[in-house]
Structures are given as C-alpha cells and as structure tokens.
Amino acid sequence: MGRFVTEEILSGYQEYLYEEEKSEATIKKYMRDLGKLVLYAGGKEITKKMVVGYKEYLRKKKKYKLTSINSFLVAANRLFEYLGWYDLRVRTYKIQKEAFVPGNRDLSREEYKRLVKAALKMGKIRLAMIIQTICSTGMRISELASVTLESVAEGVVEIYCKGKQRIILLPGKLRKKLLRYIKENSIAEGSVFCTSRGKAVDRSNIWKEMKLLGEETGIHRGKVYPHNLRHLFAKEFYAAGKDIAKLADVLGHSNIETTRGYIKSTSTEHQRMLDRMGLVLESA
C-alpha cells in the first residue's frame, strides 16, 4: 500500500495532537510546517528519497535558515512516527550554539521604553499595558488570557501551560496600573485583555500592532515582536540575581539549557569583552 499524506491523514493527525494536549499554537505550527511537505510532494507517494530531497530543497532552493529547516523536519518526523513510517524519518542539521545574540535581534531596555511611550502616544493603551505585562512578568503571549480580573485583584496569576502549572507574581506597580486599566474599561470579569468582541487577544493581534510601533519608533523590525519582551525580562531578572535555576522556574522551562539561550550577551557586549581581554599586542 502506497504512503500518501492525504487530507484525511492530516485531519486525523491534528485530532491526535489535540488528544495529546498540545497547545493550539503548537498544533497550528505543526500543521503549517507539514503543509510545506505536502506541497513539495505534490500528491506523489512519500519515499525516503523524496524526504531527503525535501530536506535539500529547503536548504538550497528555498534557502531557509537551518533552525527553520530543523523545525520543518521535526514536524515531518513526528507525523511519520504517528503513521508508523519510521524508515522515512530524516536527521535534522546539527547547529553549533551561538555564543552571543546578533545586535539587530536583541531588544534593549531603552528600546522597550520607547515602544511603551509610542503606544501611549498613539492612544493604544491596551497595547501599552500588554507590553508592560509581558516584559515585567516574563509570561508567554499565549498566557495573557490567564491575567484575569480575579488574578489582578490577588496579585497572583496561575499559569497552566503544556501540562504544567506555575505561579507568577505581578509587580506592585504593574498591579496598580492593571487595576486602573480594569476600572477605566469597566471590566467586570474574566480576562483583562480582550478584543472588541470579548475574545482574549491572540498572537496575531499583538504582533501586527507591535510591528506598527516598530515603524513609528524606528526600532529594527527584527527586534519588535512579543517573545522578545520575554527575553528582555529574562536578561533583567538574571542580571538582578544571577540565579539561572530560579529564572528557569519563573519562565516555566523544564530544561535549563533553554533558559541559557535567553540570557546570551549581544554581539556588541561580546565584542567589548574580547577587546577588554587585551590579548593583541600593540607592538607586534
């Protein structure tokens, strides 16, 4: 029997991911990534030779970054495991960990302040509050729905994500601002950050609004996205206490290696450190 990735198979796999309690964002990403494989296959039978060709196609023809290609390959491998097509799995690319973050990707404290001020100036009060909430707590954008009227009143937010629970404390100043925001917007119950239709804001809503802020402030577009606010929180939290284990708990990481990626120095900071070492002789 031939091995084809049909709409029926994809639908069944999506249902399986829901049953495995994967987050909605993870499921959407898997299905989006699998769409690339389906498009490449063009209705033909999936073979190991085709999958290897797909891997090369992504790198040489489409010129995706290796990190992106690995993401696409993981999605394909997980589908093959679900279907029992273990012989079709391919290896991901081995990538050496970066010692530093490129300067055009790292959002600074000053740039963060500019984004908040720009949002307020443009009358985007909700966006200004969302940016400050993410950056001062380190929560994920998908966890914003947990910021409810009740949690703000208590100053404690309970987060349930990926089968785990963690507690986030709201900074005193943020709590006061949120209470004022709740009062001014007549929020009677439920999530604090909602759309005009009463639904919790999602990633796409905030992403688009933040990109407009980036254009308004002139901050490099590669820096202006919600998850970078979480990275800024991580760097500031670590700088204050130098406790990476505690930071991992606050961020909800089960692997401390993941946390290490959040506190890398920028290329500029790395350059300064190399220059301070003074290992190049003046007279040589």
Side-chain angles (χ1 to χ4, degrees):
M1 185 177 178
R3 295 188 282 193
F4 299 88
V5 178
T6 64
E7 286 295 328
E8 185 179 359
I9 282 177
L10 290 176
S11 179
Y13 181 56
Q14 186 171 8
E15 187 62 32
Y16 164 77
L17 293 175
Y18 277 115
E19 291 173 358
E20 287 293 298
E21 298 185 18
K22 299 296 184 185
S23 70
E24 189 171 340
T26 297
I27 295 173
K28 283 183 178 179
K29 187 178 187 314
Y30 268 23
M31 302 314 294
R32 186 168 61 247
D33 290 351
L34 287 173
K36 293 178 174 58
L37 174 63
V38 172
L39 188 64
Y40 178 81
K44 297 178 182 177
E45 182 179 1
I46 307 293
T47 64
K48 182 61 176 279
K49 184 176 181 180
M50 174 186 284
V51 181
V52 172
Y54 170 63
K55 178 179 176 180
E56 288 299 294
Y57 165 80
L58 293 170
R59 183 174 67 88
K60 295 181 178 179
K61 186 77 173 178
K62 301 300 290 184
K63 300 189 183 301
Y64 282 111
K65 293 180 180 179
L66 293 187
T67 50
S68 297
I69 294 174
N70 281 348
S71 176
F72 303 152
L73 296 179
V74 166
N77 285 341
R78 294 291 177 272
L79 175 66
F80 298 153
E81 290 168 4
Y82 161 76
L83 295 169
W85 301 347
Y86 298 104
D87 57 307
L88 296 187
R89 293 176 299 180
V90 291
R91 295 177 183 175
T92 55
Y93 288 103
K94 291 182 178 180
I95 304 173
Q96 182 177 338
K97 292 181 179 178
E98 295 176 326
F100 53 86
V101 179
N104 63 357
R105 279 190 3 222
D106 194 65
L107 185 71
S108 71
R109 188 186 185 103
E110 290 307 311
E111 288 169 330
Y112 156 69
K113 290 180 180 179
R114 281 164 56 191
L115 289 175
V116 174
K117 289 178 181 178
L120 292 172
K121 185 179 178 181
M122 297 168 68
K124 295 182 176 292
I125 311 301
R126 184 187 68 184
L127 180 60
M129 286 306 310
I130 287 174
I131 291 174
Q132 291 176 88
T133 300
I134 295 175
C135 199
S136 64
T137 63
M139 68 174 61
R140 299 176 178 89
I141 189 171
S142 60
E143 297 168 342
L144 275 176
S146 296
V147 181
T148 62
L149 176 67
E150 297 75 20
S151 65
V152 174
E154 294 176 8
V156 177
V157 181
E158 291 186 14
I159 302 290
Y160 298 91
C161 182
K162 300 179 180 179
K164 296 179 292 185
Q165 179 203 32
R166 76 182 194 282
I167 303 298
I168 288 181
L169 298 180
L170 298 177
K173 288 184 178 180
L174 175 67
R175 181 169 173 266
K176 287 180 180 178
K177 284 191 172 188
L178 286 171
L179 286 171
R180 185 166 63 245
Y181 176 82
I182 288 168
K183 183 178 180 180
E184 291 173 350
N185 289 274
S186 302
I187 299 172
E189 61 179 355
S191 295
V192 172
F193 302 116
C194 296
T195 64
S196 57
R197 296 183 177 180
K199 293 184 178 180
V201 293
D202 62 22
R203 189 186 311 267
S204 61
N205 298 136
I206 302 168
W207 185 288
K208 291 175 184 176
E209 289 191 272
M210 283 191 68
K211 287 302 176 185
L212 291 175
L213 280 187
E215 294 173 7
E216 181 71 19
T217 57
I219 298 173
H220 191 284
R221 64 180 290 109
K223 297 182 179 185
V224 187
Y225 56 95
H227 201 67
N228 231 9
L229 299 170
R230 186 166 144 90
H231 277 259
L232 178 55
F233 167 85
K235 292 190 70 173
E236 294 291 327
F237 188 95
Y238 182 73
K242 301 296 182 183
D243 189 338
I244 193 170
K246 188 171 184 178
L247 174 59
D249 289 338
V250 172
L251 293 176
H253 291 161
S254 55
N255 187 340
I256 209 163
E257 287 301 308
T258 303
T259 312
R260 285 184 63 224
Y262 279 65
I263 58 175
K264 289 177 183 175
S265 60
T266 65
S267 54
T268 302
E269 293 167 336
H270 191 73
Q271 182 70 56
R272 288 197 196 110
M273 182 185 71
L274 294 176
D275 292 340
R276 284 198 304 268
M277 290 170 66
L279 293 177
V280 178
L281 306 184
E282 294 291 341
S283 58

